């Protein structure tokens, strides 16, 4: 791995003295390539903390521009950048925070034609998108690309996050669950209110996004217990944190038994 410079050793000193990170862990962070989907409420703290932690390359996907109504929660942007592409505003903020981090901006809307190719270029993906269509798309693409995914979501005053690695199996040989094991059916369009319709507390996105960054750092460095097969629920109204376990479903279309049988027949 590329050695850390004297400036980096000083910058990351509090990481390097941590037994769980140390010099080797910091070098892993420097070598890592992480793709962040969305530079909004969740993506803002994710990008800030991953940049501060020394992740070497951050890809940012967003096709939107900074608006005044964003600034209540999207703290990586500011008033001087109104009207600018969010990826450009985020890149400038990251450069001010940590010049050792390379930013790869992608001014694009993630879709079926570009998701797999884009995700395949990175080591890990953090999804901070605000709609189910993108979440399903990202999770499916990460499965086919074999990339770990930290996915999160927020409501008015509550949020959730989990870690997905369905391309691997557990110790007993059972495949790890997919996003479709957790949420088998995509909610119908318009069933759930959008952030603009229902509102969202700005600090909530900071809480959930920061925890997403923590999960990503743990996965890169390789310490602790990740949220694999566990969905962390955050209720900030009562400040309660709960974890529910979920398992692989044989009915899911990605690594379920139907897909396995199809592959066997195709191979035959």
């Amino acid at each position: 791995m590329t050695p850390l410079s004297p400036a980096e050793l000083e910058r990351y000193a509090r990481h390097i003295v941590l037994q769980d990170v140390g010099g080797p862990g910091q070098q892993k962070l420097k070598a890592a390539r992480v793709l962040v989907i969305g530079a909004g409420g969740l993506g803002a703290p994710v990008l800030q903390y991953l940049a501060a932690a020394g992740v070497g390359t951050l890809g940012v996907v967003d096709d939107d521009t900074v608006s005044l109504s964003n600034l209540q929660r999207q703290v990586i942007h500011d008033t001087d950048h109104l009207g600018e592409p969010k990826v450009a505003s985020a890149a400038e903020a990251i450069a001010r925070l940590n010049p050792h981090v390379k930013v790869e901006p992608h001014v694009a809307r993630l879709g079926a034609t570009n998701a797999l190719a884009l995700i395949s270029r990175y080591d890990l993906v953090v999804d901070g998108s605000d709609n189910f269509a993108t979440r399903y798309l990202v999770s499916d693409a990460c499965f086919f690309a074999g990339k770990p995914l930290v996915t999160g979501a927020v409501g008015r005053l509550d949020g959730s996050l989990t870690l997905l690695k369905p391309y691997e199996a557990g110790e007993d040989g059972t495949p790890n669950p997919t996003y479709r094991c957790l949420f088998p059916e995509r909610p119908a369009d318009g069933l759930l209110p959008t952030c603009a319709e229902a509102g969202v507390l700005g600090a909530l996105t900071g809480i959930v996004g920061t925890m997403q960054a923590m999960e990503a750092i743990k996965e890169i460095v390789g310490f602790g217990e990740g949220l694999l097969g566990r969905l962390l629920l955050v209720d900030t109204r009562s400040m309660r944190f709960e974890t529910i376990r979920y398992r692989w479903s044989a009915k899911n279309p990605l690594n379920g038994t139907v897909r396995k049988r199809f592959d066997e027949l195709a191979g035959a």
Side-chain angles (χ1 to χ4, degrees):
M1 293 186 181
T2 305
L4 300 173
S5 68
E8 288 173 305
L9 289 171
E10 182 176 356
R11 178 182 289 268
Y12 309 126
R14 301 301 185 272
H15 277 180
I16 292 170
V17 297
L18 277 174
Q19 183 176 359
D20 288 322
V21 181
Q26 193 61 52
Q27 286 183 307
K28 289 180 181 178
L29 289 169
K30 182 176 182 177
R33 293 175 52 82
V34 176
L35 181 66
V36 179
I37 311 297
L42 292 175
V46 169
L47 289 166
Q48 288 172 313
Y49 273 102
L50 292 185
V55 170
T57 303
L58 288 172
V60 191
V61 184
D62 203 306
D63 67 341
D64 200 5
T65 57
V66 180
S67 66
L68 193 58
S69 63
N70 297 150
L71 303 185
Q72 158 258 13
R73 65 199 177 282
Q74 299 177 15
V75 293
I76 200 168
H77 311 298
D78 57 47
T79 309
D80 291 339
H81 290 80
L82 293 177
E84 293 186 14
K86 287 184 180 178
V87 294
S89 171
E92 288 185 37
I94 291 169
R96 292 192 298 269
L97 177 62
N98 190 347
H100 301 288
V101 175
K102 178 184 177 182
V103 178
E104 295 179 347
H106 303 282
V107 185
R109 188 169 187 82
L110 209 64
T113 59
N114 63 358
L116 186 58
L118 187 57
I119 285 170
S120 297
R121 295 166 51 185
Y122 293 86
D123 304 317
L124 180 146
V125 178
V126 182
D127 185 7
S129 61
D130 61 357
N131 64 87
F132 275 100
T134 302
R135 291 175 196 140
Y136 278 90
L137 173 68
V138 171
S139 64
D140 289 353
C142 284
F143 169 77
F144 289 113
K147 306 294 182 180
L149 169 64
V150 180
T151 183
V154 293
R156 297 177 179 89
L157 292 164
D158 59 272
S160 63
L161 68 149
T162 191
L163 171 67
L164 295 162
K165 299 172 71 174
Y167 50 88
E168 295 181 352
E171 294 181 358
D172 63 355
T174 302
N176 289 331
T178 71
Y179 189 78
R180 293 178 181 273
C181 298
L182 181 59
F183 300 109
E185 299 293 335
R186 172 183 157 186
D189 293 338
L191 180 63
L192 299 175
T194 65
C195 170
E197 294 168 340
V200 61
L201 193 66
L204 168 67
T205 62
I207 293 171
V208 176
T210 300
M211 289 193 293
Q212 285 184 276
M214 184 67 182
E215 277 297 292
I217 291 169
K218 287 162 55 185
E219 182 65 21
I220 293 166
V221 176
F223 70 89
E225 180 184 359
L227 285 171
L228 191 63
R230 296 186 296 146
L231 180 69
L232 178 62
L233 303 173
V234 182
D235 179 0
T236 58
R237 185 187 293 276
S238 58
M239 202 50 76
R240 294 179 185 272
F241 292 74
E242 298 180 27
T243 304
I244 62 171
R245 294 190 176 273
Y246 61 98
R247 299 178 179 178
W248 170 75
S249 170
K251 297 180 180 179
N252 88 80
L254 295 177
N255 62 0
T257 53
V258 174
R259 170 61 188 266
K260 181 179 179 182
R261 181 59 179 156
F262 175 82
D263 290 344
E264 289 173 349
L265 291 173

